[in-house]
Amino acid sequence: MIAVTILSVAGGHSGVVHRKTGPELSDVALFVVAACGVWLVRRAMRRRFEKKD
């Protein structure tokens, strides 16, 4: 029972809620990675279905 209490306290969250004032760095990084993924897939699809005469 004591181990559960110790693990819950060391969970990584301080319990203090902060107001969001804007996007976090992780949000921006996720957007950039997703945009690069879409760009790569579209480029690959264009090359795949390109008509070769």
Side-chain angles (χ1 to χ4, degrees):
M1 187 67 173
I2 293 175
V4 172
T5 306
I6 292 172
L7 288 174
S8 67
V9 170
H13 192 276
S14 65
V16 178
V17 178
H18 299 283
R19 295 187 64 149
K20 278 194 83 97
T21 57
E24 295 287 330
L25 183 60
S26 62
D27 298 333
V28 175
L30 180 61
F31 176 78
V32 169
V33 169
C36 288
V38 169
W39 179 77
L40 285 172
V41 168
R42 289 187 64 178
R43 185 179 71 159
M45 295 298 282
R46 278 194 304 266
R47 287 185 179 178
R48 181 177 179 182
F49 293 112
E50 188 175 74
K51 290 188 179 185
K52 296 182 180 171
D53 294 328

